[in-house]
Amino acid sequence: MARVIFYEKPGCKNNTKQKTLLTAAGHEVVPYNLLTEAWTVERLRSFFGDRPVVEWINRAAPAVKSGEVDPEKLDAETALILMLRDPLLIRRPLIQVGDRREAGFDIEKINAWIGLKAADESLQEMSEKLMNQDLQGCAHGHDHEHHQQGKCKH
């Protein structure tokens, strides 16, 4: 099983579900606060690989929801500078296992990479339930009150 470095927004329901799924698969999850981490351009950039810049950005971030930041119009340098200033713009979670780094929680990609099968039968039902959920975006959808106010408190 893997040691998973997991950069999250504390209190985020989907990040909690993601960690639960990883733990149920027998992985050791080492959580860090994405919002208070001392990021550098180089270190942050290493999580995005060859993905398009638009996929680096958290679409539920207040600056995106308000229209202040348009992910479609960002180049890599600008996106990284904006994310360093406002970590809520960073697509989460950021995950590192060994030397490999990824952004977001694509269940199929993570399952192929480190495995998400429940470590024992008692966790199988819960794991299958979580794997059938959308664990990428905000667990509350985008039309709720907390999004209209520009932030998800969950």
Side-chain angles (χ1 to χ4, degrees), residues 37-52:
E37 188 69 20
W39 296 108
T40 64
V41 167
E42 297 78 19
R43 188 162 156 246
L44 185 56
R45 174 67 182 90
S46 70
F47 285 90
F48 304 117
D50 61 0
R51 290 175 178 230

Side-chain angles (χ1 to χ4, degrees), residues 21-81:
L21 187 56
L22 289 164
T23 301
H27 301 297
E28 175 192 2
V29 177
V30 182
Y32 289 92
N33 186 334
L34 178 99
L35 306 179
T36 59
E37 188 69 20
W39 296 108
T40 64
V41 167
E42 297 78 19
R43 188 162 156 246
L44 185 56
R45 174 67 182 90
S46 70
F47 285 90
F48 304 117
D50 61 0
R51 290 175 178 230
V53 174
V54 70
E55 292 182 16
W56 302 1
I57 304 295
N58 171 14
R59 294 204 174 262
V64 174
K65 297 308 242 174
S66 72
E68 179 184 339
V69 173
D70 182 351
E72 305 288 336
K73 296 181 179 176
L74 296 177
D75 60 57
E77 184 178 338
T78 304
L80 289 164
I81 290 168

Side-chain angles (χ1 to χ4, degrees), residues 9 19 27 48 71 74 86 91 98 126 134 139 153:
K9 175 185 169 193
K19 291 186 300 183
H27 301 297
F48 304 117
L74 296 177
D86 181 2
R91 182 177 181 191
M126 178 200 56
D134 174 12
K153 296 176 185 168

Side-chain angles (χ1 to χ4, degrees), residues 43-127:
R43 188 162 156 246
L44 185 56
R45 174 67 182 90
S46 70
F47 285 90
F48 304 117
D50 61 0
R51 290 175 178 230
V53 174
V54 70
E55 292 182 16
W56 302 1
I57 304 295
N58 171 14
R59 294 204 174 262
V64 174
K65 297 308 242 174
S66 72
E68 179 184 339
V69 173
D70 182 351
E72 305 288 336
K73 296 181 179 176
L74 296 177
D75 60 57
E77 184 178 338
T78 304
L80 289 164
I81 290 168
L82 289 172
M83 288 188 285
L84 290 177
R85 286 185 195 152
D86 181 2
L88 287 174
L89 288 169
I90 302 170
R91 182 177 181 191
R92 61 182 186 263
L94 298 180
I95 300 172
Q96 180 175 348
V97 176
D99 291 334
R100 182 170 169 184
R101 296 173 176 168
E102 295 288 340
F105 202 86
D106 180 321
I107 288 176
E108 289 181 21
K109 182 184 272 189
I110 293 171
N111 191 34
W113 173 22
I114 60 172
L116 289 174
K117 183 177 179 180
D120 66 56
E121 272 188 43
S122 67
L123 302 171
Q124 186 66 36
E125 185 178 333
M126 178 200 56
S127 289

